[in-house]
């Protein structure tokens, strides 16, 4: 089979031939059809995540067909179309797992980080990581919903905002273009914030009632004029624009961060105290959250905007995603 691996941190992507792997008793083998390229694949590419063993095949937005099922795997049958996202398995016995909080498992695994991911013709995964893919979704459309989609949808539905609340989505990119659709379809009074006038038309097409151009307008002032945001979903990859938005939170407003940055966000404690505001993060979700995301997307007509590349052009697809020019998610296909 073909696989695209990274040999060492910072090294190039290499297209290699490997033997098709065999699943263990509690694992499955997925014949990969599509795999989204996520900004977090740079953790594997650059070695920015502790403990990655190389060579490693990236990819944690994987959709394909169950091709072999281990002897101890319950319920799943060969031939089912399944997906695996960022949460690629949990131990079942650490304290978070004992409390049923599997996403925060202290030994949680991620495909493409802890084990080889979806930039390949086949992938092995533990059965706990599998989400069923609805027939109404194509594999290329389902793939980005398993990381970019679940992360924004799951963060918003647990944010405390209810229908009618002012909810802003900061950034219109891989995460933000999905976050906007989820916010609008959830009944929030949705505001989009991005750079430049050009994205305003698209923002409205994706469901935003208002558009704030952060290059010419003061984001905090504009949000305050609208009544102050109950939630600002931060999807951008620079912390300074998060800092600039905090003043636009209303009473009990929450800056909810889903983009994985190392850079610190600067906020004055007084800005939080006056208005009882808060800052929080949200870590994607489990396989059942993925299924909820996929079902909600089918119900409400939400789809990612994608650019499709064949597996052998993974390096080019990755550069396209990293350039920030992709509209908006890059998806690899195996042609299987
Ligand atoms: Zn991701
Ligand atoms: Zn655990």
């Amino acid at each position: 089979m073909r696989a695209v691996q990274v040999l060492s941190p910072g090294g190039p992507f290499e297209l290699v031939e490997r033997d098709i792997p065999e699943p263990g008793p509690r694992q499955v083998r997925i014949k990969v059809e599509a795999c989204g390229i996520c900004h977090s694949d740079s953790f594997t590419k650059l070695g920015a995540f502790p403990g990655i063993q190389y060579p490693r095949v990236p990819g944690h937005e994987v959709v394909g067909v169950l091709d072999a099922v281990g002897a101890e795997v319950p319920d799943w049958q060969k031939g089912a179309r399944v997906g695996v996202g960022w949460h690629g398995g949990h131990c079942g016995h650490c304290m978070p797992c004992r409390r049923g909080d599997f996403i925060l498992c202290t030994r949680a695994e991620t495909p493409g980080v802890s084990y080889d991911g979806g930039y390949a013709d086949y992938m092995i995964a533990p059965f706990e990581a599998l989400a069923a893919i609805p027939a109404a979704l194509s594999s290329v459309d389902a793939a980005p919903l398993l990381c970019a989609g679940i992360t924004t949808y799951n963060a918003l539905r647990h944010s405390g905002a209810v229908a009618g609340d002012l909810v802003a989505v900061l950034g219109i990119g891989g995460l933000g273009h999905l976050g906007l659709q989820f916010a609008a379809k959830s009944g929030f009074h949705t505001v989009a914030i991005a750079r430049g006038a050009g994205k305003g038309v698209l923002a409205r097409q994706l469901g935003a009632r208002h558009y704030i151009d952060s290059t010419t307008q003061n984001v905090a002032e504009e949000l305050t004029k609208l009544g102050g945001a109950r939630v600002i979903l931060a999807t951008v990859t620079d912390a300074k624009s998060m800092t600039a938005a905090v003043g636009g939170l209303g009473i009990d407003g929450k800056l909810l961060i889903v983009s994985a940055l190392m850079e610190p966000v600067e906020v004055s404690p007084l800005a939080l105290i006056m208005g009882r505001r808060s800052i929080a993060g949200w870590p994607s979700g489990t396989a059942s959250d993925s299924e909820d995301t996929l079902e909600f997307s089918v119900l409400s007509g939400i789809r990612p905007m994608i650019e499709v590349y064949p597996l052998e052009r993974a390096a080019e697809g990755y550069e396209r995603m990293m350039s920030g020019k992709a509209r908006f998610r890059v998806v690899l296909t195996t042609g299987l």
Side-chain angles (χ1 to χ4, degrees):
M1 70 166 196
R2 299 169 302 163
V4 176
Q5 68 179 25
V6 180
L7 195 58
S8 58
F13 290 110
E14 301 175 328
L15 181 66
V16 294
E17 265 309 306
R18 288 191 181 182
D19 291 338
I20 295 175
E22 289 301 323
R26 295 171 67 81
Q27 295 177 325
V28 298
R29 182 170 67 218
I30 300 166
K31 195 172 184 180
V32 178
E33 293 181 344
C35 182
I37 298 183
C38 177
H39 196 271
S40 298
D41 293 345
S42 62
F43 293 149
T44 302
K45 178 76 164 61
L46 303 173
F49 218 72
I52 300 181
Q53 306 284 308
Y54 290 87
R56 180 60 75 227
V57 177
H60 60 265
E61 291 185 348
V62 192
V63 179
V65 172
L66 284 187
D67 165 72
V69 176
E72 294 172 20
V73 172
D75 304 330
W76 295 97
Q77 309 295 334
K78 204 175 152 179
R81 201 157 58 108
V82 297
V84 184
W86 175 263
H87 184 71
H90 47 266
C91 76
H93 51 86
C94 70
M95 188 51 80
C97 281
R98 289 170 65 197
R99 295 185 189 283
D101 200 357
F102 303 120
I103 188 67
L104 296 180
C105 171
T106 57
R107 302 179 193 90
E109 295 190 301
T110 296
V113 176
S114 325
Y115 54 87
D116 285 334
Y119 289 25
D121 287 325
Y122 294 88
M123 190 188 104
I124 300 292
F127 75 87
E128 293 91 342
L130 299 177
I133 306 290
L137 280 175
S138 68
S139 295
V140 287
D141 280 346
L145 296 173
L146 296 169
C147 181
I150 183 183
T151 300
T152 49
Y153 173 66
N154 213 23
L156 285 170
R157 71 173 175 163
H158 289 107
S159 69
V162 296
D165 281 353
L166 194 76
V167 170
V169 177
L170 179 59
I172 305 177
L175 287 163
H177 88 288
L178 287 165
L180 266 184
Q181 296 181 68
F182 286 124
K185 294 288 186 182
S186 300
F188 302 139
H189 185 175
T190 304
V191 184
I193 308 163
R195 292 173 193 278
K199 281 190 170 170
V201 173
L202 176 70
R204 286 193 165 79
Q205 285 168 0
L206 296 174
R209 294 297 183 96
H210 307 273
Y211 178 70
I212 302 173
D213 172 3
S214 63
T215 62
T216 59
Q217 291 174 287
N218 181 310
V219 172
E221 278 176 21
E222 295 302 318
L223 286 175
T224 303
K225 274 187 220 167
L226 292 167
R230 179 69 180 81
V231 168
I232 299 173
L233 183 73
T235 72
V236 286
T237 50
D238 79 297
K240 286 193 178 63
S241 39
M242 297 185 200
T243 297
V246 169
L249 289 171
I251 289 172
D252 288 323
K254 187 192 289 182
L255 178 72
L256 188 50
I257 302 173
V258 291
S259 45
L261 296 187
M262 304 287 181
E263 199 186 335
V265 180
E266 278 183 38
V267 181
S268 94
L270 196 62
L272 298 180
I273 293 167
M274 304 304 284
R276 211 162 44 215
R277 298 163 174 141
S278 59
I279 300 181
W282 190 270
S284 70
T286 60
S288 64
D289 295 313
S290 280
E291 289 185 359
D292 294 345
T293 306
L294 297 167
E295 294 292 346
F296 186 78
S297 301
V298 170
L299 276 173
S300 53
I302 292 169
R303 295 292 182 278
M305 294 171 70
I306 56 172
E307 296 179 5
V308 175
Y309 283 71
L311 177 66
E312 58 272 20
R313 284 167 61 198
E316 199 185 325
Y318 174 85
E319 289 310 324
R320 176 78 178 157
M321 180 279 302
M322 289 301 278
S323 75
K325 290 181 185 140
R327 288 267 166 131
F328 281 98
R329 209 70 180 168
V330 177
V331 180
L332 300 174
T333 53
T334 56
L336 291 174

